[in-house]
Amino acid sequence: MPHNQQIVLDNRPQGEAVASNFRLVLTDTPALEDGQVLVRHHYLSLDPYMRGRMNEGRSYAAAQRLGEVMMGGTVGEVVESRHPRYAVGDKVLGMGGWQEYSVVDGAAVGALRPVDTSHVPLSYYLGAVGMPGVTAWYGLVRIIAPKEGETVVVSAATGAVGSAFAALAKARGCRVVGLAGGADKCRYALQELGFDACIDYRQYAGDVKALSQALKPACPNGIDGYFENVGGPIMDAVMLRMNAFSRIALCGMIAGYDGAPLPMRNPALLLINRTRLEGFIVSEHMQVWPEALTELATLVGAGKLRPRETVAQGIAAAPQAFLGLLKGKNLGKQLVKLI
Amino acid sequence: MPHNQQIVLDNRPQGEAVASNFRLVLTDTPALEDGQVLVRHHYLSLDPYMRGRMNEGRSYAAAQRLGEVMMGGTVGEVVESRHPRYAVGDKVLGMGGWQEYSVVDGAAVGALRPVDTSHVPLSYYLGAVGMPGVTAWYGLVRIIAPKEGETVVVSAATGAVGSAFAALAKARGCRVVGLAGGADKCRYALQELGFDACIDYRQYAGDVKALSQALKPACPNGIDGYFENVGGPIMDAVMLRMNAFSRIALCGMIAGYDGAPLPMRNPALLLINRTRLEGFIVSEHMQVWPEALTELATLVGAGKLRPRETVAQGIAAAPQAFLGLLKGKNLGKQLVKLI
C-alpha cells in the first residue's frame, strides 16, 4: 500500500484564492476490492474552472466539498488491477484529483479512458488532445461556426484552450486574434501558435475604450466570433468591435471568480449586432469528443498545434501552481508532474 | 393635392425624449408621377424601436435623419394611383411614416402590402397581425423554441408584442408569466391575455433581489425562456431564476434608450445556466412572416388573441402618444388614428 499525498480543500476563499485554502494530507492507498483499479498519476491538470468550484453556492457543477480531495483531471498508469479490462502498465486518463494515486471502479462508464502514447505524449491528453482542446473545438465549431475569412478572437489566448483554438481556426481559414497578458505571451502567440495578431491587454489596464481602439487595426473587418474565457472589461472591449450576426462562445469568466459579479457594460450591443451568445460546458457535449479529439491529434501530429506546457513538480506544488494559473503566470497548459 | 401634416425629427434627445424633439410641418402632397401611388393613412403605428432611431450613432438601423419625417408603419387606403397594381380604395400596409399621406413607388418590392379587412380590422395589421405579432412569434418559436410545459416569461407583457407572445405560448402548452408596470396592466394580463401570472415590477423599484423573489412563486419550475423587451434590473432579476439550458430572445432594451448603457449585472449566469441568448430584428427574417401571420390571424379569429389598442387622435397627437408609450402609459398597441 503506497503512501498517497493529497491536496484537500480546507476552507473557501474570501475573495482571492490563497494557499491556505488548501491542505496537504498524507494517507495510504487502500487495499483494492474486486473490480477496482489503482492508478498512479503522472500528471495532474490545473484548470481555471476549478476556481469556480471552490466557491459555495450555485454554479453549473456541484461545489468542491470541504475536506475532500480537490477534483481534477489526471493521466497515469495502472499499477494494480482487479478488473479484467485493465492491466498493470496501461496508460489511462481519468478524474483522479489532486493526489498521487486514485482508486477507480473499473466498471464505471467513462471513469478511465485508455490512451495511446505512441504518437501523442501522455500529458497532452490533459491539454491539446484533451478537455481544453475539445473545449476550444466545441466553441469554435459548434457555436461560432466561422466561415472562411471571418475574424475570430479568443481571450486567454496562450492558455491550453486558446492555443488549440488558434490552430483549429487557422485550419478553417479564419483570421485569428488573441488577447493575452504580457509581451512575452503575445510574441509566443504570434511566433508559435499561428495567431495573426495578439493584443497585450495589460497595456490598457481595464480601459475598455483604449483596448477596443487597439483591437481595431488587429481586426480591420470587425469581429465575427469571440471565444470568451475571461469576462469583464476585456469582453466589453471586444463587444464594441463585433459585427452584425456575430457569435460569442461563453466558456469562462475567470475575471469574476474572486468576488462580486462582474457586469457586462453594454448588453444592448448584443441586440444592436444581433449577436448569438451561448454558454457551454464541454463535458455536457460528449458526442463531439471523438471527432474533436481526432482533429486535435491530427493537428498535433502535423506540427500545426505545438502546445507548450508549464510544469510544476510534485503534488505539494499544486496549490501555488494553481494560484499562478489564476494570475496568468503560466504559458500554455499548466500541469503538475507527480512522478 | 391634399394638405399633408407631417411630424419631423427636429433635434435629437439629450437623455429622455421630449415633445420639442419633434416638429409639425404642413406640406402639400406632390402630383403623382407614373408608377406612383398616393396613400391616405388611417393609422400610424408607434413602436419602442423608434426611440432608438432618434439617437445618433451606431445601431442596427440607420438613425432617423434630422428634418425628415419620422419613420413608422402605417395602414391606409389608396386614394390615387398611377400604378396598375393598385386601385383607389385598396387597403394597404406600408412604412408611410408620421404623416397623413405618403407617395409610394408601386413597383418597389415590399413597399406596400394589400391587406384583407374582411376578417381582421385594419389597425390589427400594425399590431397583433403585423410586425409586433411576428416579433413575438420569431422570438418564441425560433429562438426560445419551448417544449410543452416549459415556463416562458416576457417583459412589457401587455404591449403589442407581449400580448401576442402570451397567446402564442399558451397555444404551445407553456406556462406564461408576464412582467408589467402597474396593477391594472397585470389584471388585464391575467383576465384577458391568458397569462398564468403577472408581476407588477413597479412594486420593486429596481430592487433586483426583491423582483427575483417575486418571480419565484410565479415560476415554481424556474424559467426556460425569456423574451426581453426592456433590459436593466428587470432582466437581471429574471436571469436569477433561469434554468439550465434556458434561452433568451433579446428584442428590445428600452430601459437603456435614454442615456448611458444599462449594464447586465451578472453575465456569468449565462455561463452557469448554459443559456443561449440571441438578439434579433424581425425585419431581417421575412421568410417567417407568412407562417407567423397565418397563425396570428387564426388566433385572433378564434378569440384566443384579443389585442387591445390605445388610440391617439390626429397626427399632431403623435409625439405625446409616443412619449407616453415610452413611459408605459398605453395598454396594448399604441396607435394614432388619422382619419
Side-chain angles (χ1 to χ4, degrees), chain A residues 58-61 235 239-245 250-253 257 261-281 284-285, chain B residues 58-61 235 239-245 250-253 257 261-281 284-285:
Chain A
R58 195 179 175 202
S59 185
Y60 45 75
M235 183 170 195
M239 281 176 62
L240 286 168
R241 294 267 159 239
M242 296 202 80
N243 290 330
F245 307 109
L250 189 59
C251 170
M253 300 197 86
Y257 287 172
L262 263 188
M264 178 190 289
R265 187 171 144 142
N266 190 4
L269 290 169
L270 299 171
L271 172 57
I272 289 169
N273 295 325
R274 292 85 93 202
T275 298
R276 179 166 48 76
L277 175 155
E278 202 166 332
F280 76 103
I281 300 169
E284 293 176 335
H285 303 281
Chain B
R58 195 180 176 203
S59 185
Y60 46 75
M235 183 170 194
M239 281 176 61
L240 286 169
R241 295 266 159 240
M242 296 202 79
N243 290 331
F245 307 108
L250 189 59
C251 169
M253 301 197 85
Y257 286 173
L262 263 187
M264 178 189 290
R265 189 173 143 139
N266 190 4
L269 289 169
L270 299 172
L271 173 57
I272 290 168
N273 295 326
R274 291 86 92 202
T275 299
R276 179 166 49 76
L277 176 155
E278 202 166 331
F280 76 104
I281 300 170
E284 293 177 335
H285 303 281

